[in-house]
Amino acid sequence: MKMQSKIYELILPLCLMLVGTLVQAQAPENETTHDGLVRKADSKVTAVYIKPDTDFSQYNRLMIEEPHVAFTSKWRRKNRRLDHQDIEAIKSRAIELFTNEFTKVLKDGKYDIATTSADDVLLIRPAIIDLEISSPIDASGVQSITYTTKVGSASLVLELFDSVSSEILARAIDKRVLESASGNWQVEGSSVNNNA
């Protein structure tokens, strides 16, 4: 019985914290986050939060941290045939693809990329969360044959920090579902679609 009461002592605060998070998620557009960022109402992505009175003109270069990648637990349960090594391999591939594409886009946009902190460097901390791949490939190269109009989905979270002080300055969140290129027609899942 003592063990059960200890569990309740741990679970109750966690439940209250989750309820508080859900209530915050339904807050009005001009909400302020726990770290002082204010939501911008007219964004082209799911949500953008910026620290008030931040002067981004002082930053001339960008530094990119390695992205964090996290799958949904629902996806993980659905793909039980994938072992720990398979999951790590998929994460590594996602990190590699994201880093290469993101760096290319920034360089094409004429942004200078820095490798160390400095007063003029803005640190970007990316995360790919809620990742679901419709037809993942395991380490043996086996891919289940899946016909789908939905290739996968993920949320991208980008956090911007002053690279010297580590003060958070902005956060952008965007949730996307990748549909097949052929619209409503079902296509076979493939590594090409997974990479896209």
Side-chain angles (χ1 to χ4, degrees):
M1 198 64 166
K2 279 187 176 181
M3 177 61 89
Q4 193 173 16
S5 72
K6 285 285 184 200
I7 290 171
Y8 286 129
E9 285 176 31
L10 292 172
I11 292 175
L12 184 60
L14 285 173
C15 289
L16 291 173
M17 186 174 64
L18 284 173
V19 170
T21 303
L22 293 173
V23 169
Q24 279 184 340
Q26 297 172 355
E29 289 287 319
N30 292 328
E31 69 188 78
T32 300
T33 64
H34 70 281
D35 46 7
L37 305 179
V38 177
R39 186 169 183 166
K40 301 290 282 184
D42 59 345
S43 124
K44 290 181 173 52
V45 295
T46 304
V48 173
Y49 301 86
I50 298 176
K51 184 155 287 227
D53 302 322
T54 299
D55 179 14
F56 286 100
S57 67
Q58 64 184 315
Y59 301 104
N60 302 314
R61 297 179 293 154
L62 302 171
M63 185 166 69
I64 308 163
E65 275 191 3
E66 181 176 277
H68 169 73
V69 175
F71 297 95
T72 64
S73 57
K74 177 183 83 175
W75 179 85
R76 181 66 185 106
R77 286 190 302 274
K78 192 170 80 175
N79 291 282
R80 290 196 186 280
R81 69 181 172 77
L82 300 175
D83 62 20
H84 177 70
Q85 289 177 321
D86 295 328
I87 298 294
E88 290 305 310
I90 293 170
K91 281 184 182 181
S92 294
R93 182 67 178 141
I95 288 168
E96 177 189 353
L97 285 169
F98 177 85
T99 302
N100 291 344
E101 288 301 313
F102 195 56
T103 303
K104 181 183 180 302
V105 166
L106 292 175
K107 285 181 177 177
D108 288 350
K110 307 294 187 233
Y111 291 98
D112 291 328
I113 307 299
T115 55
T116 58
S117 299
D119 288 334
D120 69 332
V121 174
L122 189 63
L123 174 66
I124 301 174
R125 184 176 294 159
I128 302 165
I129 61 171
D130 302 330
L131 180 59
E132 293 188 6
I133 302 167
S134 294
S135 186
I137 301 171
D138 65 26
S140 66
V142 174
Q143 178 171 342
S144 61
I145 297 176
T146 305
Y147 291 91
T148 180
T149 58
K150 177 182 161 189
V151 178
S153 63
S155 292
L156 175 63
V157 180
L158 294 178
E159 293 182 312
L160 306 179
F161 297 84
D162 179 274
S163 68
V164 175
S165 70
S166 296
E167 177 185 20
I168 188 162
L169 304 174
R171 180 180 298 117
I173 304 161
D174 200 22
K175 171 85 173 165
R176 295 292 165 114
V177 175
L178 181 62
E179 304 290 339
S180 71
S182 54
N184 293 330
W185 293 95
Q186 292 190 342
V187 295
E188 184 176 338
S190 70
S191 59
V192 171
N193 287 334
N194 290 348
N195 288 342

